Amino acid sequence: MTCKDFLKELTDYLDDSLDQPTRVELEEHLQWCHNCYVICNTTKKTIEIYRDSTLYELPDDLRSRLRSAIMTKCRAKKPSTSGA
Ligand SMILES: [Zn+2]
């Protein structure tokens, strides 16, 4: 799994809507990729804050905005000396 794959599945992962094998792949990626680990934590917190203040479902609009923000952030970050 690449960082791109990871980011593609991240919101579903945080939504608990992934199947088990994909979930495991993501968790494995998190163990060696510090960058995605940080992104995952940040996104999770953002979603939790959002959920606390409103409903338990992420609207598609927010989900896609969140995703593109993450993608932009990831692209901006040049992979440096293995951040882990
Ligand atoms: Zn990664």
Side-chain angles (χ1 to χ4, degrees):
M1 173 169 291
T2 64
C3 292
K4 207 176 146 195
D5 294 331
F6 179 89
L7 293 171
K8 202 171 64 181
E9 308 289 357
L10 179 60
T11 49
D12 285 339
Y13 172 67
L14 295 173
D15 272 353
D16 257 335
S17 55
L18 281 182
D19 52 85
Q20 182 65 15
T22 313
R23 207 182 164 77
V24 169
E25 277 191 66
L26 259 74
E27 277 163 3
E28 278 173 9
H29 185 90
L30 278 179
Q31 290 185 2
W32 60 264
C33 185
H34 183 67
N35 194 33
C36 288
Y37 179 80
V38 171
I39 289 170
C40 181
N41 270 347
T42 309
T43 309
K44 192 157 52 174
K45 284 201 185 91
T46 307
I47 291 172
E48 276 166 7
I49 289 164
Y50 182 85
R51 280 180 175 169
D52 279 352
S53 59
T54 53
L55 301 163
Y56 283 86
E57 275 293 312
L58 277 178
D60 285 347
D61 177 51
L62 177 77
R63 188 194 293 249
S64 60
R65 269 189 291 146
L66 195 59
R67 186 173 303 187
S68 69
I70 293 165
M71 293 298 259
T72 307
K73 196 174 169 181
C74 189
R75 263 193 236 112
K77 234 176 208 170
K78 293 275 186 299
S80 55
T81 51
S82 73

